[in-house]
Amino acid sequence: QSGIDYDQTFSATLRYSSARALFAYAAKCGCEIRSIDYVAAYLQGDFIEGETVYCHMPPGYERYDEAGKPYVCKILKPIYGIPQAGRRLQRKVFPWMVEIMKLRRLDDSDACVFIYDDPRNLERLAVGVYVDNLQIVHSAKLNKAGDAIDKSSKYHEFITRLRNDWDIVDEGPMVDLLAIEVKRLPNVSIKLHQESYVAKLLAKYLPNGPPNGSRKDSLPYSDNVLMH
């Protein structure tokens, strides 16, 4: 029960403005953007020391003691459905970024953004954390398998440690984030749009097409809007 068994459930999420800023940063610096997902993210969190959480047994699987009272389950790891699960994941991911990977957290603007300050000023690496998704801006050159060609790079260290310490899926170059579609253009610009989302809304609310009969004129975005 809230206030009795737990009282802290807040977990920060990457701001839309921060996500756009990272895209702008990538476009300005000629960097690539990679998408990494944590597999069953909440299950990878940990309870804090001394924290105990119970739950009712699933419907249809209840068991009872000799007095007819139902048993309850003791939860060993944070799971989807408990209010503090997101916070427990974040309390594990954020220290990992700072203490293990030595990235600088932007506490003064967005605590979900982490930056690598290269002492040689040769490499760029920035990471935006949105719950179970990482928006990684990097200057390192990668091979077809997504591995850094330069094994001495910070990106190589980061992605290698990430794969070892977490259960993740490397989704490759980012194509969408927070319903924002991403397209890298030949001139190194990055186009952000929501064409699929808009088309989905039109199909749901205007199945017979826009009133003026022109779908293109009704889409609230422009092919000419680019991020430089």
Side-chain angles (χ1 to χ4, degrees):
Q1 297 181 22
S2 178
I4 298 176
D5 303 300
Y6 65 88
D7 58 7
Q8 297 182 9
T9 61
F10 173 78
S11 58
T13 56
L14 182 70
R15 299 173 182 171
Y16 275 84
S17 57
S18 299
R20 293 193 295 269
L22 286 173
F23 284 123
Y25 178 67
K28 177 181 179 180
C29 300
C31 295
E32 298 297 328
I33 308 153
R34 203 159 189 88
S35 177
I36 300 289
D37 256 6
Y38 291 95
V39 177
Y42 284 1
L43 302 182
Q44 298 192 55
D46 291 322
F47 286 124
I48 60 177
E49 184 178 354
E51 184 175 22
T52 304
V53 180
Y54 298 95
C55 71
H56 295 290
M57 300 190 73
Y61 294 89
E62 297 92 342
R63 295 177 59 188
Y64 303 86
D65 63 14
E66 295 178 352
K69 294 183 179 180
Y71 285 109
V72 294
C73 296
K74 180 179 179 180
I75 303 177
L76 301 181
K77 291 181 65 64
I79 58 175
Y80 288 83
I82 64 173
Q84 59 269 55
R87 186 180 182 88
R88 292 294 164 258
L89 171 68
Q90 196 166 89
R91 286 294 183 91
K92 187 176 179 181
V93 171
F94 284 13
W96 184 89
M97 292 284 182
V98 175
E99 298 168 11
I100 303 298
M101 296 314 307
K102 307 302 180 183
L103 302 182
R104 175 169 56 89
R105 183 178 174 184
L106 301 187
D107 291 310
D108 57 341
S109 53
D110 191 335
C112 293
V113 177
F114 299 83
I115 304 293
Y116 169 56
D117 296 310
D118 186 359
R120 301 174 299 170
N121 199 30
L122 298 177
E123 183 179 0
R124 299 184 186 276
L125 178 67
V127 182
V129 182
Y130 186 82
V131 188
D132 61 349
N133 180 266
L134 300 183
Q135 177 189 9
I136 304 176
V137 176
H138 63 91
S139 61
K141 302 301 181 183
L142 310 183
N143 57 27
K144 293 183 179 180
D147 297 320
I149 296 175
D150 181 3
K151 303 306 179 184
S152 65
S153 65
K154 183 65 177 181
Y155 179 87
H156 175 73
E157 177 192 353
F158 178 84
I159 200 68
T160 300
R161 191 65 185 264
L162 187 68
R163 290 169 177 167
N164 289 337
D165 293 355
W166 302 87
D167 186 4
I168 63 167
V169 173
D170 188 338
E171 298 182 330
M174 181 163 280
V175 295
D176 62 77
L177 175 68
L178 310 179
I180 302 172
E181 295 177 71
V182 184
K183 183 178 181 180
R184 172 74 73 173
L185 302 178
N187 64 355
V188 195
S189 297
I190 297 175
K191 175 183 176 181
L192 303 179
H193 64 93
Q194 292 185 290
E195 181 175 359
S196 296
Y197 176 68
V198 172
K200 182 179 179 180
L201 291 180
L202 288 175
K204 181 178 181 179
Y205 295 106
L206 296 172
N208 298 321
N212 61 10
S214 174
R215 176 178 179 275
K216 182 177 180 181
D217 292 340
S218 297
L219 294 178
Y221 75 91
S222 170
D223 289 334
N224 297 320
V225 177
L226 306 179
M227 185 170 287
H228 298 282

